[in-house]
Amino acid sequence: MTLEEKIGQLNLLTGGEATTGSTVSNDVETKIKAGKVGGLFSMSSPQKVRKTQELAINNTRLKIPLIFGMDVIHGYRTAFPIPLGLSCSWDLELIEKSARIAATEASADGICWAYSPMVDICRDPRWGRIAEGSGEDVYLGSQIARAMVRGYQGSDLSKNNTLMACVKHYALYGAAEAGRDYNTTDMSRVRMYNEYLPPYKAALDAGAGSIMASFNEIDGIPATANKWLLTDVLRKQWGFKGLVVTDYTGINEMVDHGLGDLKTVSAKALLAGIDMDMVGEGFLTTLGQSVKDKTVAMADIDRACRKVLEAKYDLGLFDDPFRYCDDQRAKTEIFTENNRQQARSAAANSFVLLKNANKTLPLTKKGTIAVIGPLVNNRENMAGTWAVSADFAKCVSLVDGIKHGGGNNVSVVYAKGANVYSDPTQEANVSIFGKPTNRDNRSDAELIEEALKIAQTADVIVVGLGESAEMSGESASRSDIQIPQNQQDLLKALLKTGKPVVLVVFTGRPLVLTWEDANVPAILNTWFGGSEAGNAIADVLFGDVVPSGKLSVTFPRSVGQIPIYYNYKNTGRPWSGKEGFEKFRSNYLDVSNKPLYPFGYGLSYTRFDYSNLQLSARKMKRSDKLMATVTVKNVGDFDGQEVVQLYIRDKVGSNTRPVKELKGFQKIFLKKGESKTISFPISINDLKYYDNNLNYIAENGEFIVFVGTNSQDCLEANFILE
Ligand code: NOJ
């Protein structure tokens, strides 16, 4: 290959179906024909992809096929719940299946490379991209990362129904200061190794073929030019052999980061370990000169080019460049009835019942239900952020879902009641992918008045409030994460009717629901449930499905508590846990340390009783496996699923250790009245952590084992490691 041909392979352009920056790719066709493009993303359909692939195959000397990527984030045409929602299912099989379905659909539509899973740990719900990840916990996040990779890639990447996964955003993108997207991150290596890096590694260990560098800086150097991150950790420590791609214009953005001109930053990125340059064309336009200047060696270009070619080889593109362009598959394998059913079940499993006083839920299937709120009658918003390929028109709204689910004895009345925001400019500003919220031009007071009239005619009010799809996701940080004021006003007015009110929350992040928790009898958090959202919500509201979702992320009482997470450190002056302020202790004057809803929390229509936590021994040797067993009994009135959670605390270490860390979980099904004994094996690996010198160790001493229904309500037992 000539130098130009090699550099061409490093250039990744966009087909423009979903644009996430100010730069777009121009003259794509000409560049492909000239061998200046290695791949394209954001282009779909077998016809378009075939036509584009032909440009490369028929016009370039070496006929090297293009690779076709896409943001396949939570489903494809059939949208599954947003990843944060899916993670609340704690159901790895279901999550893997969702990725498998996404891979089947996307690969039938010309695509072979998915920019997923997004495994960024996040403890700051102001950050809009919290919607795209699996929440705050490193253990749960790592399990989910593996499941998604298995789902996308299957056992053979070269099959025409699998996708190459791209783990992102490496690294620490979810730790942006102040929750502001693209912002600086800065953290100790101890924290990185223990709490943030493992999910990326887990995804790679599961075989992910590629990884995307993040926009943020780490230790003062943007990830895109961070040799320590991309070479020392990724290649040398972790042994990753796959492809490393930038994020959208990640190289060019280093000019604004203040690292030099485009030629300088492009060379820095290559030398740090980037193989492929997304959209910015810094590699294309400057690397030739850098080789001449000897600031970059041919060996560096060869390394990057080899990685791109290997990925294409693994995907089978050299055998058949058109293997993902099957018109027949596109007709029969996308948005199938089966896929929709799976999406419906996944959605119902992702919802978290936050409150259910007086058994308000489930609803009976009779009488009149008023379904009220700015998003309850809007299909476009059901799929949530990054559903770039979803069939929005076929999504099921809440109004439609309740109509179908309620059957003949239920009549449904609807009113909008409020716009998403009072202020039209705020509503307009959030739109990236242009999903309409169907703004109503009437005043807030008029909308509420109409809603009250409708509500008066009903036996029960289901009010759907919260965020529109685009209030979370990329570039959607918020400083006030309450339900917008005008929507709260609607809720207050509806509560005054004295009728039973069920609040269905649409959101891409944990919201501050402190007022709602104190005043509304029932709250179901539904995230964005995907194509079948409305049906799935109705399934749960009517009790056809008993809710089982558990929070993968803490819900704060107040924005001022952020960052708030369950696996915090004790400090030298811990708060006692009793209500009320304590002087000279680590707490606030004006708010409790406790979250509104803790990690792992979620109610059911039934109740589970935990008893008899036993350890197989009180002393453990390093080679031993300890068994923790607990009896869980369904003592309520419904059959249901429960996520049994195991946490461990390392009581004494040479480093400070978190007050507890998730180390295992099992999702079980119990018929009413049934009980089961659940066992968790504990081995030395569950007790290890990275110490101050980054040695991965388990230290002798006392450990506490917690087993329970969430991170706060647990039984406890202890043992000694000797
Ligand atoms: C920017 C986002 O950060 C990334 O997640 C996405 O994969 C790329 N744009 C491509 O759309």
Side-chain angles (χ1 to χ4, degrees):
M1 292 172 79
T2 64
L3 176 61
E4 286 68 33
E5 283 166 340
K6 290 175 192 169
I7 292 173
Q9 287 302 308
L10 315 187
N11 193 29
L12 175 64
L13 297 185
T14 170
E17 284 179 15
T19 304
T20 56
S22 51
T23 309
V24 292
S25 303
N26 296 314
D27 303 324
V28 175
E29 200 173 316
T30 320
K31 283 176 188 154
I32 294 174
K33 287 186 182 162
K36 292 182 173 172
V37 182
L40 271 184
F41 70 102
S42 235
M43 170 183 282
S44 58
S45 95
Q47 299 80 24
K48 265 198 253 168
V49 169
R50 184 181 304 109
K51 227 176 107 201
T52 310
Q53 189 70 288
E54 277 166 359
L55 295 174
I57 302 296
N58 298 342
N59 296 286
T60 60
R61 183 177 75 94
L62 296 171
K63 307 185 190 313
I64 297 173
L66 299 166
I67 184 172
F68 289 87
M70 183 63 103
D71 286 289
V72 181
I73 310 292
H74 50 109
Y76 186 70
R77 196 82 73 236
T78 311
F80 278 73
I82 56 167
L84 186 61
L86 262 186
S87 69
C88 292
S89 72
W90 297 55
D91 186 336
L92 299 174
E93 214 175 291
L94 178 150
I95 291 170
E96 181 175 337
K97 208 184 281 172
S98 79
R100 180 88 290 280
I101 288 174
T104 307
E105 291 197 356
S107 63
D109 211 24
I111 290 146
C112 53
W113 187 20
Y115 299 146
S116 175
M118 191 277 219
V119 302
D120 304 320
I121 295 296
C122 180
R123 296 162 163 181
D124 190 334
R126 291 171 298 183
W127 193 56
R129 300 201 79 172
I130 197 170
E132 301 171 38
S134 294
E136 74 188 35
D137 184 59
V138 69
Y139 177 86
L140 179 62
S142 299
Q143 302 280 337
I144 292 176
R146 283 189 205 106
M148 304 259 316
V149 172
R150 286 195 301 268
Y152 288 131
Q153 297 200 165
S155 54
D156 181 357
L157 214 46
S158 72
K159 279 196 173 157
N160 74 348
N161 65 355
T162 54
L163 301 176
M164 179 168 75
C166 185
V167 186
K168 67 190 193 186
H169 305 81
Y170 184 65
L172 319 183
Y173 184 37
E177 283 179 2
R180 181 155 53 76
D181 208 359
Y182 318 123
N183 203 9
T184 306
T185 64
D186 197 6
M187 74 171 66
S188 70
R189 299 235 161 137
V190 169
R191 176 165 266 184
M192 280 186 214
Y193 273 74
N194 283 306
E195 300 166 37
Y196 281 78
L197 293 182
Y200 305 103
K201 180 163 189 303
L204 299 178
D205 289 346
S210 66
I211 191 163
M212 187 186 291
S214 55
F215 287 126
N216 54 282
E217 67 170 72
I218 293 169
D219 271 351
I221 300 179
T224 310
N226 197 314
K227 193 158 197 267
W228 173 77
L229 192 72
L230 299 181
T231 299
D232 296 353
V233 177
L234 184 65
R235 299 287 191 198
K236 295 190 183 151
Q237 287 177 25
W238 295 356
F240 178 60
K241 302 242 167 352
L243 173 67
V244 183
V245 63
T246 71
D247 202 343
Y248 203 105
T249 58
I251 291 177
N252 315 57
E253 290 172 27
M254 293 196 288
V255 176
D256 281 322
H257 273 288
L259 255 57
D261 61 13
L262 186 59
K263 179 161 171 276
T264 308
V265 295
S266 300
K268 277 180 189 260
L270 182 81
L271 296 176
I274 293 288
D275 301 318
M276 210 171 193
D277 171 9
M278 187 191 282
V279 177
E281 299 188 292
F283 275 3
L284 184 75
T285 55
T286 70
L287 284 185
Q289 189 58 44
S290 294
V291 171
K292 280 191 200 132
D293 296 350
K294 299 201 168 23
T295 45
V296 155
M298 187 62 107
D300 300 310
I301 309 259
D302 285 349
R303 178 219 77 219
C305 182
R306 186 169 295 124
K307 293 297 166 196
V308 175
L309 298 180
E310 280 171 1
K312 294 178 177 182
Y313 178 83
D314 290 344
L315 285 163
L317 289 166
F318 282 109
D319 286 339
D320 176 8
F322 303 102
R323 74 187 319 138
Y324 302 92
C325 302
D326 181 335
D327 296 322
Q328 195 48 36
R329 281 191 61 209
K331 282 187 203 128
T332 54
E333 294 183 23
I334 297 179
F335 208 67
T336 62
E337 185 49 35
N338 175 58
N339 293 357
R340 289 184 68 144
Q341 287 312 323
Q342 299 283 354
R344 179 168 177 169
S345 149
N349 273 282
S350 75
F351 303 153
V352 184
L353 183 63
L354 297 176
K355 186 177 175 193
N356 192 21
N358 317 322
K359 298 193 175 160
T360 308
L361 289 173
L363 303 175
T364 48
K365 292 188 182 181
K366 60 174 196 269
T368 301
I369 303 181
V371 187
I372 293 175
L375 297 167
V376 298
N377 206 15
N378 182 323
R379 294 177 179 164
E380 277 78 8
N381 271 274
M382 291 297 99
T385 184
W386 277 119
V388 288
S389 309
D391 194 336
F392 297 114
K394 291 193 184 135
C395 288
V396 180
S397 73
L398 183 54
V399 166
D400 289 341
I402 291 185
K403 278 185 187 158
H404 301 155
N408 295 339
N409 297 328
V410 168
S411 65
V412 174
V413 289
Y414 157 74
K416 183 156 185 165
N419 282 307
V420 176
Y421 282 111
S422 231
D423 176 359
T425 49
Q426 282 197 30
E427 198 151 335
N429 285 343
V430 299
S431 177
I432 312 179
F433 301 126
K435 286 183 213 79
T437 53
N438 302 336
R439 219 187 140 74
D440 194 302
N441 288 327
R442 286 173 290 172
S443 70
D444 293 347
E446 284 170 300
L447 288 166
I448 290 179
E449 195 187 316
E450 182 195 59
L452 283 175
K453 260 193 213 134
I454 300 277
Q456 290 302 348
T457 67
D459 301 300
V460 55
I461 302 168
V462 173
V463 55
L465 304 178
E467 300 189 324
S468 62
E470 292 175 7
M471 284 165 74
S472 61
E474 185 168 352
S475 187
S477 297
R478 294 178 67 200
S479 69
D480 176 356
I481 55 171
Q482 297 179 88
I483 292 175
Q485 186 60 53
N486 59 317
Q487 294 191 49
Q488 283 190 32
D489 293 343
L490 167 67
L491 177 62
K492 286 177 187 164
L494 293 172
L495 285 166
K496 281 202 190 123
T497 62
K499 308 214 178 231
V501 173
V502 176
L503 172 59
V504 171
V505 181
F506 296 105
T507 182
R509 53 159 60 80
L511 294 175
V512 168
L513 298 171
T514 309
W515 189 90
E516 291 77 1
D517 180 69
N519 293 284
V520 185
I523 308 177
L524 182 68
N525 201 81
T526 65
W527 313 109
F528 291 100
S531 299
E532 288 288 318
N535 284 334
I537 298 171
D539 289 339
V540 171
L541 293 180
F542 290 120
D544 295 328
V545 174
V546 172
S548 62
K550 301 273 189 172
L551 296 177
S552 62
V553 62
T554 304
F555 273 45
R557 282 171 197 277
S558 142
V559 145
Q561 293 177 309
I562 296 170
I564 182 168
Y565 45 93
Y566 82 94
N567 48 348
Y568 56 89
K569 300 285 186 78
N570 203 38
T571 81
R573 294 189 172 196
W575 175 63
S576 72
K578 293 193 203 97
E579 281 312 316
F581 173 69
E582 291 167 3
K583 193 74 181 166
F584 305 122
R585 295 268 145 197
S586 180
N587 62 158
Y588 301 98
L589 280 170
D590 55 351
V591 68
S592 160
N593 282 14
K594 283 198 178 152
L596 184 62
Y597 306 118
F599 176 82
Y601 172 86
L603 302 173
S604 169
Y605 294 152
T606 191
R607 285 175 300 114
F608 297 98
D609 181 63
Y610 283 68
S611 62
N612 201 22
L613 173 61
Q614 301 274 351
L615 297 180
S616 55
R618 300 304 295 270
K619 293 194 169 159
M620 176 177 166
K621 296 217 162 33
R622 294 186 160 254
S623 55
D624 285 353
K625 210 164 233 169
L626 210 65
M627 272 294 173
T629 52
V630 71
T631 305
V632 185
K633 182 166 189 196
N634 182 343
V635 292
D637 299 330
F638 292 80
D639 301 344
Q641 301 182 89
E642 165 73 338
V643 180
V644 184
Q645 301 162 38
L646 168 83
Y647 299 86
I648 296 182
R649 175 172 184 178
D650 183 354
K651 201 64 199 303
V652 183
S654 50
N655 286 213
T656 61
R657 307 289 296 118
V659 294
K660 56 175 67 121
E661 295 172 287
L662 184 71
K663 292 293 175 183
F665 59 89
Q666 290 177 40
K667 190 162 186 175
I668 59 168
F669 173 79
L670 290 179
K671 288 195 162 305
K672 58 180 172 181
E674 191 186 357
S675 68
K676 264 187 196 155
T677 301
I678 307 299
S679 308
F680 290 100
I682 298 171
S683 75
I684 193 80
N685 285 338
D686 300 311
L687 311 179
K688 286 186 176 167
Y689 73 100
Y690 289 93
D691 73 2
N692 205 27
N693 298 314
L694 300 183
N695 294 319
Y696 194 50
I697 54 165
E699 294 174 304
N700 287 353
E702 186 185 351
F703 289 82
I704 308 180
V705 173
F706 305 83
V707 179
T709 185
N710 64 53
S711 61
Q712 263 174 18
D713 301 313
C714 294
L715 301 173
E716 289 182 32
N718 55 356
F719 70 91
I720 309 280
L721 177 71
E722 343 176 281

